Amino acid sequence: MPEPILKIEGLDAHYRDFQALYGVSAQVDQGEVVAIIGANGAGKTTLMRSVAGLLKNRPEAIRWKGQAIGRLRADQVAALGIALVPEGRLLFPSLSVEENLIIGGQIGRKGPWSLDTVYRLFPILKERRNQQSTSLSGGQQQMVAIGRALMSNPELILMDEISLGLAPVIIRQIYEALPGIVGEGMAAVIVEQDIAKALSVTSRVYCLQEGRVALQGLSATLSREEISRAYFGM
Amino acid sequence: MDWVNAILQGTLLGGLYALFAAGLSLIFGVMRLVNIAHGDLIVLAAYLGLTASTALGLHPLVALVLVVPAMFAIGYVLQRGILNRTMGDDILPPLLVTFGLSIIIQNGLLTVYTADPQKLQAGNLETASLSAGGLTVGVLPLIVFITAVAIIGALQWMFYHTALGRAFRATSDRQDIAQLMGLNRAHVFGLAMGLSLAVTAVAGIFLGIRTSFDPAVGGSRLIFGFEAVIIGGLGNLWGTLAGGIVLGVSQALGGQIHPSLQILSGHIVFLVILAVRPRGLFPKMEG
Ligand SMILES: Nc1ncnc2c1ncn2[C@@H]1O[C@H](COP(=O)(O)OP(=O)(O)O)[C@@H](O)[C@H]1O
Ligand SMILES: [Mg+2]
């Protein structure tokens, strides 16, 4: 067994007085694709933001290749090779499509991803490169958000509800691009509402319920009943 | 001819006001910070220029070589050391802290330099003038105006064509997501304040060459700067230049009617524009 690259242990996350995560433990191996599922408000986004450094936690609660990173700033976490595709895309409206991508690569990590390779993955973005990012359709904006994260050549990419609010045909298009993304040995954590979709593209799954890990297992072997019990708490 | 001349002089004066305002506009644009101490920092720059020119015998314009980097450093340290700690969802703490800073700077200047009015000696430059077609313009006001246009043009170019400008815009859009891109907000804000005060250094030196100054004159410079920013439209640097010119011309025309109306007419035009176009003449286009 290789050591996991990301190891979360006993993570409690708070928004002021409100506790959103209770002792969450999870791990991601190198090159592995993991799903996080759970109902609205279960804490999926909180977990993503904690790993990315947008929420401050106990340092040892999150380890990256053994290093305690729970308290690092987001820019420091990004430099280590973790990128977040945030829920709601959150592009920079003052920047053009291409500038959104360039700024994603600002950290200067070496790797396969560059403007060229992102444009090859999503050719439509090349046509729209000089437009304001807000003038794009939702699906195209999501492509920019993914491309922006890839531009930092991360070893782990966190994708928070990349299909939220998109038409099914667009969702399929984006998920078809996924193997080309994680194929290069990059690990991924995918937060997804569509459970069937989440199970089909991942090897392992964690189900969060009210801030706790209610279920974990192999995507291929977990039963429907187990999952809906963990999902809805019934 | 007097009126044409007044408009010309007012336009050139507007360049100085635009320099007062550009730094304010920049930090408001990048971090939504309203710096009440801005006028006092202009005066501080003038005094630094005074010290550099008296102690080292430098021409005040040459002293810029020292004062600009010094003010940049002061801005960066001020932002990272103090102002960053006050920034958040609530806009009141930075207002209060920069207000306190304003008082500290004024009293510090009083202690070091006394309340005596001072002036930067620029030799022939102060009186040199050019004449054409019955109009006469001073060389100094012309230099100030050209410098203002050049600085604002350079800032605008920096904003839209450099990595630093991209970082400023991204941080202004979404601070936390910019942080994900490896941009440390604290550092980006420090650079913005440093740049703001570097521009302020130029404004302070020109102020000190044009008129006499004492530690208490910062307040009205802050007002002129604010008025130029708001007339032009928040977050739009060329608008800020236009705002400075509108303010300068208003004052010059008022002064042409009666000298006592000079300052007042500037404020009145500001209030009228604020009432008719609350977002300024050239509001930044959204989305
Ligand atoms: N900024 C915030 N301030 C306070 N509470 C929050 C904030 N963001 C999320 N929460 C709360 O934390 C819990 C988990 O939210 P979130 O992680 O967004 O869930 P999910 O992504 O699974 O829908 C919810 O109860 C939510 O209301
Ligand atoms: Mg969420």
Side-chain angles (χ1 to χ4, degrees):
Chain A
M1 274 307 276
E3 268 291 290
I5 47 170
L6 180 74
K7 197 166 169 67
I8 301 167
E9 255 182 323
L11 173 64
D12 298 325
H14 301 260
Y15 296 102
R16 295 179 196 275
D17 294 340
F18 178 77
Q19 185 164 357
L21 295 179
Y22 297 84
V24 168
S25 295
Q27 65 182 56
V28 179
D29 292 339
Q30 188 166 13
E32 190 186 23
V33 183
V34 171
I36 311 264
I37 59 175
N40 257 334
K44 305 180 297 296
T45 296
T46 305
L47 180 58
M48 296 290 105
R49 293 175 73 90
S50 293
V51 174
L54 291 174
L55 290 174
K56 294 269 169 288
N57 296 294
R58 196 167 52 80
E60 296 78 23
I62 306 172
R63 286 185 181 276
W64 175 250
K65 298 176 177 173
Q67 181 190 352
I69 62 164
R71 219 175 170 76
L72 293 188
R73 295 189 313 262
D75 57 308
Q76 297 168 318
V77 174
L80 293 174
I82 301 178
L84 172 67
V85 182
E87 183 179 328
R89 310 186 269 272
L90 307 183
L91 301 180
F92 299 110
S94 310
L95 273 56
S96 68
V97 167
E98 184 153 300
E99 284 180 315
N100 267 281
L101 295 175
I102 290 172
I103 208 162
Q106 171 125 341
I107 289 178
R109 287 174 51 88
K110 297 275 174 292
W113 293 102
S114 64
L115 273 182
D116 276 352
T117 45
V118 170
Y119 285 149
R120 220 169 297 147
L121 183 69
F122 300 123
I124 184 73
L125 298 187
K126 188 164 189 181
E127 286 170 38
R128 302 282 152 91
R129 63 206 282 178
N130 293 320
Q131 294 186 14
Q132 292 306 110
S133 48
T134 43
S135 70
L136 268 52
S137 72
Q140 291 163 358
Q141 289 192 27
Q142 191 63 68
M143 293 171 192
V144 178
I146 294 171
R148 183 178 67 177
L150 290 176
M151 285 289 287
S152 69
N153 281 300
E155 281 181 71
L156 171 66
I157 187 167
L158 311 168
M159 304 203 209
D160 196 353
E161 306 223 19
I162 49 174
S163 47
L164 193 70
L166 300 183
V169 50
I170 305 291
I171 296 175
R172 181 147 25 88
Q173 209 180 328
I174 286 181
Y175 269 91
E176 274 166 9
L178 202 61
I181 295 171
V182 292
E184 313 261 358
M186 190 190 296
V189 177
I190 293 174
V191 170
E192 182 54 69
Q193 290 281 354
D194 180 341
I195 298 173
K197 180 127 264 162
L199 296 180
S200 72
V201 297
T202 57
S203 57
R204 283 190 310 117
V205 56
Y206 292 89
C207 184
L208 289 184
Q209 184 192 62
E210 293 178 2
R212 294 181 171 83
V213 176
L215 177 72
Q216 57 178 303
L218 299 177
S219 306
T221 57
L222 283 180
S223 73
R224 277 304 219 180
E225 294 70 46
E226 283 177 294
I227 290 175
S228 46
R229 208 178 314 125
Y231 205 91
F232 300 110
M234 290 182 297
Chain B
M1 216 57 196
D2 287 348
W3 292 93
V4 177
N5 190 50
I7 290 174
L8 182 62
Q9 306 304 336
T11 302
L12 297 184
L13 179 61
L16 183 63
Y17 293 165
L19 280 180
F20 291 166
L24 276 176
S25 188
L26 179 76
I27 54 167
F28 185 82
V30 175
M31 51 185 161
R32 303 287 175 276
L33 176 75
V34 175
N35 180 9
I36 303 289
H38 190 76
D40 304 292
L41 288 160
I42 294 173
V43 178
L44 171 66
Y47 276 110
L48 291 182
L50 181 70
T51 297
S53 62
T54 51
L56 305 174
L58 298 176
H59 188 279
L61 292 186
V62 177
L64 279 172
V65 176
L66 298 176
V67 179
V68 168
M71 290 300 288
F72 180 93
I74 290 172
Y76 186 87
V77 171
L78 178 67
Q79 186 67 37
R80 292 215 63 167
I82 299 174
L83 297 178
N84 274 341
R85 295 166 203 275
T86 70
M87 316 262 307
D89 296 334
D90 189 354
I91 65 158
L92 197 56
L95 277 180
L96 292 176
V97 168
T98 56
F99 181 68
L101 189 65
S102 155
I103 294 170
I104 292 170
I105 294 172
Q106 283 185 35
N107 284 287
L109 291 175
L110 264 180
T111 309
V112 176
Y113 294 99
T114 78
D116 297 342
Q118 300 284 356
K119 204 171 161 310
L120 298 179
Q121 304 301 334
N124 297 337
L125 192 60
E126 295 176 36
T127 51
S129 64
L130 302 170
S131 298
L135 293 174
T136 302
V137 296
V139 170
L140 179 66
L142 198 59
I143 290 178
V144 173
F145 185 80
I146 291 170
T147 306
V149 173
I151 286 181
I152 285 174
L155 285 176
Q156 187 80 14
W157 181 83
M158 179 276 298
F159 242 80
Y160 289 97
H161 298 280
T162 67
L164 180 63
R166 205 160 53 222
F168 281 157
R169 282 179 290 141
T171 306
S172 168
D173 281 347
R174 306 186 186 280
Q175 294 180 13
D176 51 347
I177 305 301
Q179 194 95 22
L180 283 177
M181 305 295 127
L183 299 168
N184 184 16
R185 163 177 50 201
H187 177 63
V188 173
F189 284 178
L191 292 177
M193 185 56 90
L195 212 52
S196 164
L197 294 201
V199 175
T200 298
V202 180
I205 298 285
F206 281 142
L207 171 75
I209 298 175
R210 260 189 92 112
T211 59
S212 66
F213 55 94
D214 63 66
V217 301
S220 62
R221 271 64 208 174
L222 173 70
I223 300 287
F224 293 157
F226 267 142
E227 290 182 346
V229 171
I230 291 169
I231 291 172
L234 283 174
N236 176 346
L237 283 165
W238 286 122
T240 297
L241 177 64
I245 292 173
V246 168
L247 188 64
V249 169
S250 307
Q251 290 186 357
L253 291 179
Q256 189 67 21
I257 296 168
H258 191 278
S260 67
L261 290 179
Q262 189 188 349
I263 301 300
L264 183 63
S265 58
H267 293 326
I268 289 172
V269 167
F270 163 71
L271 287 174
V272 169
I273 289 174
L274 192 60
V276 179
R277 298 193 56 144
R279 300 185 61 213
L281 296 178
F282 309 101
K284 189 175 158 193
M285 298 299 169
E286 297 293 343

